[in-house]
Amino acid sequence: MKIFRDVQDVRRHRKHLLLSNRTVGLVPTMGALHAGHLALIRQAAQENSDVFVSVYVNPTQFGVTEDLESYPRTWDADIKMLELLNDELAASSPQNGRISAIFAPTTKTMYPTVPPSSELTGEGSFVTITPLGSILEGSSRPVFFRGVATVCMKLFNIITPDKFYFGQKDVQQTIVIKRMVRDFWLNTEVRIAPTVREDDGLAMSSRNIYLGERRRATALVLFKMLQLAEEQYALGRRTRAAIIDPALELARSMAAEQYRLPPSNRAVFEVIYFSLADPDTLEEVDQVDEGKGAILSGAVKMLPVEQPQPEEDCGLGDGRSSVRLIDNIILMPI
């Protein structure tokens, strides 16, 4: 398992593998690895002889007021985790691929000319996928998908992977990247792995480390909303109101319950959006087409911890910042 910082070095390694008829699956990450990332790597190892893992906190997908500086950076723990996973892959099956490269570039390497900008009108070379990147997450984070598409295009061009791996948790991201691959005729296959969840259903995310005990318990609101909406679909309901209104009412009830608690005990949240959308365009639908299904998705903001108590686990950052969580469930065609 080699660590590469420079483009030319990782390209030479990639060319050697290509000439040896080996295949490469790329798992892009921003570090702070968790079980969801490891599941993507395991899938990549089952489908390729070599797995590349990129570790890069991309500044252009963070808005000017977002948490770039406080985003968790856990390099030593990440490397240890990848080493242990490589040992597991070697022991489990001789047919499995291995992690042969970690690409951990600097920002100067990834943005070699103009310094990266998080301003909506900032200068630089960017990839913009519209309208997919300007709705849902993009409506409140206008530079997010521009940054995601740009860094993924750079990784495509640097590594030229046979397959590129993403998790379903970031469902809008997967649709944006699939559109980019199709529109630009990129010679790679986008592979999507199921969302990996904690035992109680919370979707695994690098941002969960910010929650702490109090907000962690209430953060299940989004998953509960998705489950309730999914139940309505399973019961044969197809209209927008019949599917999502019970979920919105659940959120209102849970929010009211928190506000009835004293500030020293409560965990306050806001629902940013709750969507029932077409699986291809992400446009909101009034009625689900049973032949296509739909995507249920949402985002909640866990607000800062009020009146933290002595010795209370408030998460990374001591609960001072809001935590944005996203999740989704696919309503399958019938």
Side-chain angles (χ1 to χ4, degrees):
M1 190 172 74
K2 300 178 180 179
I3 298 173
F4 297 93
R5 303 286 185 180
D6 299 319
V7 170
Q8 295 307 321
D9 290 340
V10 76
R11 279 181 166 170
R12 277 191 287 271
H13 181 60
R14 174 67 178 103
K15 183 177 180 180
H16 170 73
L17 297 175
L18 178 65
L19 295 175
S20 302
N21 294 316
R22 297 173 70 86
T23 59
V24 168
L26 173 61
V27 179
T29 83
M30 294 204 301
L33 301 183
H34 53 70
H37 296 112
L38 301 189
L40 289 174
I41 296 169
R42 289 187 183 95
Q43 180 176 338
Q46 291 173 354
E47 299 177 356
N48 303 273
S49 60
D50 291 79
V51 179
F52 284 31
V53 178
S54 64
V55 179
Y56 175 63
V57 181
N58 175 37
T60 64
Q61 66 194 66
F62 290 80
V64 292
T65 62
E66 293 181 353
D67 56 348
L68 172 61
E69 295 305 318
S70 64
Y71 192 86
R73 291 161 171 84
T74 54
W75 173 258
D76 291 341
D78 292 345
I79 294 301
K80 182 64 175 177
M81 199 177 295
L82 294 175
E83 290 172 343
L84 291 173
L85 179 56
N86 237 7
D87 292 342
E88 173 197 310
L89 293 172
S92 61
S93 171
Q95 282 73 45
N96 275 337
R98 305 287 187 275
I99 305 167
S100 69
I102 299 170
F103 182 49
T106 65
T107 292
K108 179 62 177 175
T109 295
M110 293 300 285
Y111 295 88
T113 54
V114 178
S117 173
S118 291
E119 299 283 351
L120 187 58
T121 58
E123 296 180 345
S125 302
F126 299 111
V127 178
T128 303
I129 309 297
T130 58
L132 285 177
S134 58
I135 56 179
L136 299 177
E137 281 293 290
S139 65
S140 57
R141 305 180 70 192
V143 302
F144 176 68
F145 288 112
R146 183 184 74 177
V148 168
T150 298
V151 78
C152 285
M153 179 68 86
K154 290 171 182 281
L155 291 171
F156 282 137
N157 290 334
I158 292 168
I159 294 172
T160 61
D162 297 283
K163 295 183 175 71
F164 213 133
Y165 291 83
F166 295 90
Q168 183 193 307
K169 182 184 77 70
D170 302 297
V171 67
Q172 187 174 0
Q173 175 175 280
T174 68
I175 295 171
V176 167
I177 297 303
K178 282 183 174 181
R179 177 71 61 85
M180 183 179 78
V181 167
R182 183 177 181 184
D183 284 351
F184 287 94
W185 291 97
L186 300 176
N187 189 24
T188 192
E189 178 185 352
V190 179
R191 302 284 287 153
I192 311 301
T195 301
V196 177
R197 301 184 179 278
E198 304 285 358
D199 291 342
D200 60 3
L202 184 69
M204 289 193 177
S205 168
S206 298
R207 284 188 166 88
N208 291 353
I209 194 173
Y210 293 113
L211 290 172
E213 185 176 352
R214 196 193 309 182
R215 292 190 295 183
R216 170 66 179 77
T218 309
L220 284 171
V221 58
L222 181 54
F223 181 55
K224 290 179 179 179
M225 291 173 69
L226 292 167
Q227 282 187 309
L228 184 56
E230 183 184 36
E231 288 173 10
Q232 309 314 305
Y233 182 70
L235 290 170
R237 291 160 189 157
R238 299 292 177 262
T239 66
R240 180 180 187 82
I243 291 173
I244 72 172
D245 282 2
L248 295 173
E249 179 55 36
L250 173 66
R252 285 190 287 268
S253 174
M254 291 182 67
E257 180 182 347
Q258 290 300 312
Y259 275 110
R260 286 193 292 270
L261 297 173
S264 58
N265 295 107
R266 67 190 180 201
V268 179
F269 66 88
E270 297 173 356
V271 177
I272 302 171
Y273 66 84
F274 195 70
S275 167
L276 178 68
D278 182 279
D280 298 319
T281 67
L282 292 181
E283 294 177 352
E284 298 298 314
V285 297
D286 292 323
Q287 178 129 354
V288 177
D289 180 343
E290 292 184 350
K292 296 179 68 175
I295 295 176
L296 281 167
S297 66
V300 299
K301 180 190 292 186
M302 304 301 303
L303 298 184
V305 174
E306 300 178 71
Q307 296 183 8
Q309 300 301 294
E311 308 301 322
E312 181 181 3
D313 173 16
C314 295
L316 184 67
D318 296 325
R320 290 188 294 267
S321 299
S322 297
V323 183
R324 184 188 184 102
L325 302 175
I326 61 173
D327 201 352
N328 66 88
I329 286 178
I330 308 299
L331 301 182
M332 301 303 294
I334 295 176

